[in-house]
Amino acid sequence: MLEKVVALVKEVGQQVIMPRYLKVSRQYKADGSFFTEADVVAQTVLFDELRKIHPAPLLGEEMSREEQELQWMHGNEGLWSVDPIDGTSNFFNGLPYFAISVAYLVQGKSILGVVYNPATQEMFYAQKGGGAFLNGIPLPINKHVPSLSNAMANIDLKRLDRKLAATVATYPPYASQRNYGASTLEWCYIAAGYFDLYLHGGQKPWDYAAGSLILEEAGGSMCGFDHEDYWAGSPWRRSVIAALDAGLFIQWRDWVHKSR
C-alpha cells in the first residue's frame, strides 16, 4: 500500500499542484483562512484514488468541521488523513516550502505516512516498523547531536500561549530558530536531522498524522504539553515537543515544561 500511496502523491504533486503554482487566486473559508483551486482539485483526486487503494473513511483539511468530525468518528478501524497542500500561503506566494501529506491511521494512530514537496521533489515516507526515508535514503541523514545550547529549533510562536512564547522569544535555550509555515514538512525536517528541536502549540490530524510517524520511525521522540504519551488528549489541537536525539529531547521537554 505504501508504494501505491507514494506513487499517487508524486503524481498529484507534479500533475495537479505544480501546473497551478503561482497561477491560482485566493478563496476564503468561513473561518477567514484561505485556500486555492489547487487545494480543492488535489484533495478530490487524492480522495478518489485513495478509495481505490484501500476503501476507508477520508479526512481532509478542505472539508467542513462537521464532516471532519464525522469522518474521524467513523474511522477508528481505518482512516485516511489528507492535506492536499500544507503551506498554502507559501504555495500562493511562490515560496517553495509546501507539501502534500497523506497518512493512514488505525485506532487514531498512524501506521503509514507520506509527505511530498513537489517544488523540491523531496519525498518523505514511513510505514510502522519499517523505518523512515527521504527519496529512498534512510532517515536521519544528518546525525550530529548538539547540546541544547547550540541546537537549531523549529518553533511555531503564534500557537504558543503568551508566557511560553515570550520566554522562547526572549530567553531561548537554543542557538537559532526557524519557522517556514508547513507543519508536515517541519516534522520531516526534524526526522532528517535538518533541525534539532520542534515546538508547536496545536495541530490538527492532517498536520501531524504523517510527519509524526516519519519522525518516530527515524528514531525521534515526542510528547505533548500535558501528556507524555503524544497520542493522548484531543486529536483536534495536539501540541508538540519533539527532538530527534533522545537525550536532547529530555532536556528540551524539561525546559519547555519549566517555562510554561
Side-chain angles (χ1 to χ4, degrees), residues 11-68:
E11 181 179 2
V12 170
Q14 295 300 324
Q15 301 300 320
V16 176
I17 291 176
M18 291 310 294
R20 292 173 168 83
Y21 190 35
L22 294 174
K23 297 178 182 177
V24 290
S25 58
R26 298 182 189 221
Q27 301 177 58
Y28 288 89
K29 303 177 188 178
D31 64 3
S33 62
F34 80 89
F35 64 99
T36 70
E37 176 205 12
D39 295 84
V40 176
V41 175
Q43 180 167 287
T44 299
V45 174
L46 288 165
F47 276 18
D48 289 345
E49 297 302 318
L50 288 171
R51 288 188 182 99
K52 298 175 186 177
I53 293 173
H54 184 74
L58 291 138
L59 172 68
E61 184 182 16
E62 306 309 326
M63 302 171 74
S64 69
R65 179 61 187 266
E66 292 74 21
E67 290 176 301
Q68 290 166 349

Side-chain angles (χ1 to χ4, degrees), residues 225-246:
F225 288 171
D226 301 312
H227 304 279
E228 284 300 302
D229 178 3
Y230 172 73
W231 296 98
S234 169
W236 300 106
R237 186 174 173 82
R238 188 156 278 161
S239 55
V240 186
I241 305 168
L244 181 59
D245 177 72

Side-chain angles (χ1 to χ4, degrees), residues 1-218:
M1 190 161 72
L2 178 59
E3 290 181 0
K4 292 180 179 178
V5 176
V6 167
L8 169 61
V9 168
K10 184 173 184 179
E11 181 179 2
V12 170
Q14 295 300 324
Q15 301 300 320
V16 176
I17 291 176
M18 291 310 294
R20 292 173 168 83
Y21 190 35
L22 294 174
K23 297 178 182 177
V24 290
S25 58
R26 298 182 189 221
Q27 301 177 58
Y28 288 89
K29 303 177 188 178
D31 64 3
S33 62
F34 80 89
F35 64 99
T36 70
E37 176 205 12
D39 295 84
V40 176
V41 175
Q43 180 167 287
T44 299
V45 174
L46 288 165
F47 276 18
D48 289 345
E49 297 302 318
L50 288 171
R51 288 188 182 99
K52 298 175 186 177
I53 293 173
H54 184 74
L58 291 138
L59 172 68
E61 184 182 16
E62 306 309 326
M63 302 171 74
S64 69
R65 179 61 187 266
E66 292 74 21
E67 290 176 301
Q68 290 166 349
E69 291 178 347
L70 183 64
Q71 294 303 306
W72 183 270
M73 183 176 63
H74 289 297
N76 191 55
E77 298 307 312
L79 174 74
W80 290 110
S81 177
V82 174
D83 193 338
I85 304 179
D86 178 35
T88 300
S89 295
N90 291 345
F91 173 78
F92 180 80
N93 285 285
L95 299 174
Y97 192 85
F98 54 87
I100 305 169
S101 178
V102 174
Y104 188 71
L105 301 89
V106 176
Q107 297 181 351
K109 295 184 179 181
S110 305
I111 63 170
L112 178 153
V114 176
V115 176
Y116 179 53
N117 181 344
T120 59
Q121 298 187 42
E122 294 172 299
M123 177 70 75
F124 297 90
Y125 54 92
Q127 192 163 329
K128 188 71 173 178
F133 302 86
L134 165 59
N135 296 338
I137 301 171
L139 298 178
I141 293 172
N142 190 355
K143 298 182 180 180
H144 77 288
V145 181
S147 64
L148 187 59
S149 63
N150 63 13
M152 179 177 282
N154 194 314
I155 311 291
D156 187 299
L157 285 171
K158 72 179 181 180
R159 291 176 177 85
L160 302 180
D161 63 52
R162 183 175 297 180
K163 180 176 183 294
L164 179 56
T167 304
V168 166
T170 308
Y171 304 107
Y174 46 75
S176 184
Q177 75 180 56
R178 305 287 187 275
N179 180 248
Y180 298 127
S183 298
T184 58
L185 281 174
E186 291 164 3
W187 282 102
C188 296
Y189 276 34
I190 295 290
Y194 300 157
F195 292 107
D196 304 305
L197 310 170
Y198 189 31
L199 187 66
H200 199 292
Q203 297 181 340
K204 295 180 179 174
W206 46 87
D207 296 316
Y208 62 75
S212 61
L213 177 64
I214 291 168
L215 176 59
E216 181 180 56
E217 288 296 317

